[in-house]
């Protein structure tokens, strides 16, 4: 089996037309790769287009405010990606004279750029012969070549990297890297792949051994933490609302939110109401959602209630709702505002 030849032939027949495939500009490729980390193409494509429209060059991105960058990123999650994106744009302008590093090892020095992203930029922009290894590549190689090592282990990553590098054709690294990622995204999908139409069916270890559902092997499990958020929508006599920037280094760093009352364990709504009454003594207090709104993050599930607190006086730091909506905020708060106040 000539793996790379078969794979590239499949790719040329089946590839999607995507805007970042029409260029070898490292800025656009870097932008797309950061957006597509932990994100499906269908979700990420509109964000990519918005960023390119707002910031046509790396200089434009570097000159933007962090709030503008975070607002455009709103809803994509993993907001550290956006902060790193902004920081790296400044690094490229200030330390690299506005030009991207041109080698894999130089690219690794950039904030937020790991081995996979560096390999993607190096191969797509500069045709460097370095193989990409991500979740799609793990899945494709483990199934076809029968690699039953635990992908949660660092040593396994090295094995996959070595195999991918051996399979990489020296005369077409960019094409091969695009092809193997696309094959994992469209054909060799995580669940219920269409093996009968697969070009590798007769050579696939997992198909022959009936191990499609168990490869790749991943034993490490994520511990999901429950957190209980009670958001207090503090409104003054002008109907303005109090929001503040989240300074905590955890989730949603530098995004804006309502006043937060967080508990480490579930409390009854009556207990929460009494706590709010004692601490704030509002003129009126309205629970906006009796059933907790569940917002699922990779390592945390947030159980959220919103309470509206009305006060009769003017609160100096409170902002009009239109101004609040211009600020970057967690998508769960943005959606709540759209549903309840616009």
């Amino acid at each position: 089996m000539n793996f790379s030849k078969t794979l590239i032939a499949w790719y040329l027949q089946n590839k999607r037309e995507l805007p970042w495939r029409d260029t070898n500009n490292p800025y656009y490729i870097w932008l797309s790769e950061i957006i597509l980390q932990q994100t499906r193409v269908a979700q990420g494509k509109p964000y990519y287009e918005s960023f390119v429209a707002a910031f046509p060059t790396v200089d434009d991105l570097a000159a933007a405010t962090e709030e503008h960058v975070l607002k455009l990123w709103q809803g994509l999650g993993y907001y550290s990606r956006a902060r790193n994106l902004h920081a790296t744009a400044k690094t490229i302008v200030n330390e690299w004279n506005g030009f991207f590093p041109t080698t894999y090892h130089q690219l690794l020095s950039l904030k937020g750029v790991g081995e996979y992203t560096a390999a993607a930029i190096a191969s797509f922009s500069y045709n460097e012969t370095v193989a990409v290894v991500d979740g799609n590549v793990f899945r494709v190689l483990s199934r076809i070549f029968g690699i039953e090592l635990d992908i949660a282990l660092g040593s396994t990553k090295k094995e996959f990297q070595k195999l991918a590098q051996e399979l990489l054709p020296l005369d077409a690294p960019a094409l091969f890297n695009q092809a193997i990622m696309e094959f994992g995204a469209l054909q060799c999908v995580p669940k219920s792949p269409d093996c009968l139409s697969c070009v590798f069916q007769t050579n696939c270890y997992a198909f022959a051994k009936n191990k499609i559902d168990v490869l790749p092997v991943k034993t490490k499990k994520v511990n999901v933490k429950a957190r209980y958020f009670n958001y207090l929508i503090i409104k003054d006599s002008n109907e303005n609302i109090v929001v503040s920037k989240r300074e905590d280094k955890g989730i949603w760093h530098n995004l804006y939110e309502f006043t937060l009352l967080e508990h480490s364990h579930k409390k009854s709504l009556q207990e929460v109401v009494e706590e709010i009454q004692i601490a704030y003594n509002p003129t009126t207090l309205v629970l906006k959602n009796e059933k907790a709104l569940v917002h699922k993050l990779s390592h945390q599930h947030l159980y959220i209630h919103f309470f509206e607190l009305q006060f009769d006086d003017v609160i100096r730091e409170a902002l009009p709702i239109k101004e609040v909506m211009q600020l970057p905020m967690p998508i769960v708060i943005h959606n709540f505002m759209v549903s309840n106040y616009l």
Side-chain angles (χ1 to χ4, degrees):
M1 169 181 66
N2 189 322
F3 179 80
S4 61
K5 190 174 181 180
T6 302
L7 180 69
I8 289 171
W10 174 91
Y11 174 70
L12 294 174
Q13 286 279 324
N14 296 278
K15 67 175 182 174
R16 292 168 291 184
E17 295 301 321
L18 299 172
W20 49 85
R21 286 184 178 156
D22 297 332
T23 180
N24 61 3
N25 184 323
Y27 171 62
Y28 293 131
I29 291 167
W30 166 68
L31 191 58
S32 70
E33 290 299 333
I34 300 299
I35 286 172
L36 293 176
Q37 290 172 3
Q38 310 288 337
T39 302
R40 292 175 292 104
V41 166
Q43 183 189 10
K45 186 169 175 279
Y47 283 88
Y48 171 83
E49 291 165 342
S50 295
F51 266 83
V52 168
F55 314 119
T57 70
V58 71
D59 297 82
D60 296 317
L61 179 55
T65 64
E66 183 180 79
E67 285 193 1
H68 190 184
V69 174
L70 288 173
K71 186 63 179 177
L72 276 185
W73 195 272
Q74 185 174 282
L76 259 186
Y78 298 97
Y79 287 88
S80 61
R81 291 182 294 167
R83 294 191 296 272
N84 288 340
L85 190 81
H86 193 214
T88 296
K90 291 180 178 180
T91 297
I92 290 166
V93 168
N94 296 328
E95 298 179 21
W96 292 85
N97 297 318
F99 296 97
F100 269 77
T102 57
T103 71
Y104 170 76
H105 289 292
Q106 288 175 334
L107 287 160
L108 282 174
S109 69
L110 300 176
K111 193 171 185 178
V113 174
E115 293 176 351
Y116 163 76
T117 304
I121 300 169
S123 63
F124 302 157
S125 293
Y126 308 116
N127 222 30
E128 186 173 347
T129 53
V130 56
V132 295
V133 175
D134 70 345
N136 284 323
V137 177
F138 279 136
R139 188 166 58 255
V140 171
L141 296 184
S142 66
R143 285 175 174 173
I144 294 174
F145 292 93
I147 303 173
E148 301 195 36
L149 301 173
D150 184 358
I151 64 170
L153 303 176
S155 56
T156 299
K157 169 85 181 287
K158 293 177 182 177
E159 290 294 323
F160 277 92
Q161 187 72 56
K162 181 183 175 185
L163 175 58
Q165 199 67 38
E166 289 171 355
L167 295 168
L168 186 75
L170 300 180
D171 59 342
L175 196 56
F176 176 87
N177 282 339
Q178 290 277 19
I180 196 166
M181 291 191 297
E182 191 78 333
F183 190 79
L186 299 183
Q187 179 68 46
C188 196
V189 294
K191 294 184 179 180
S192 303
D194 183 8
C195 295
L196 297 182
S197 69
C198 179
V199 292
F200 294 110
Q201 184 208 114
T202 57
N203 301 105
C204 180
Y205 172 91
F207 182 76
K209 303 289 185 181
N210 196 27
K211 289 192 172 185
I212 295 294
D213 294 336
V214 298
L215 289 176
V217 175
K218 188 175 184 180
T219 58
K220 188 177 179 181
K221 294 187 177 178
V222 174
N223 292 321
V224 178
K225 177 183 178 183
R227 298 176 72 179
Y228 301 89
F229 281 19
N230 299 293
Y231 275 120
L232 314 184
I233 306 159
I234 296 174
K235 295 178 70 178
D236 69 2
S237 56
N238 292 326
E239 296 295 297
N240 292 340
I241 293 176
V242 174
V243 292
S244 60
K245 185 182 283 191
R246 189 176 175 90
E247 304 288 351
D248 185 2
K249 289 291 185 181
I251 61 167
W252 301 337
H253 177 59
N254 283 358
L255 300 186
Y256 286 80
E257 63 181 357
F258 304 125
T259 301
L260 175 62
L261 184 63
E262 181 179 355
H263 296 114
S264 59
H265 61 281
K266 186 176 181 180
K267 287 191 173 186
S268 71
L269 289 173
Q270 184 59 39
E271 287 178 296
V272 176
V273 167
E274 289 173 3
E275 187 175 343
I276 296 170
Q277 292 280 20
I278 293 168
Y280 292 89
N281 191 29
T283 304
T284 59
L285 172 59
V286 177
L287 170 64
K288 302 295 286 186
N289 59 312
E290 292 228 7
K291 184 178 179 182
L293 195 160
V294 182
H295 188 66
K296 294 183 178 180
L297 304 173
S298 58
H299 294 77
Q300 306 176 42
H301 288 177
L302 310 182
Y303 297 85
I304 303 172
H305 284 100
F306 293 93
F307 299 82
E308 185 180 294
L309 284 66
Q310 182 72 55
F311 292 86
D312 289 336
D313 50 351
V314 173
I315 301 174
R316 192 168 51 121
E317 64 269 25
L319 299 172
I321 289 174
K322 283 188 178 180
E323 287 187 30
V324 171
M325 293 305 293
Q326 298 305 309
L327 298 170
M329 62 185 73
I331 194 65
V332 65
I333 293 179
H334 173 85
N335 291 342
F336 173 83
M337 289 289 289
V338 170
S339 297
N340 289 270
Y341 294 102
L342 295 182

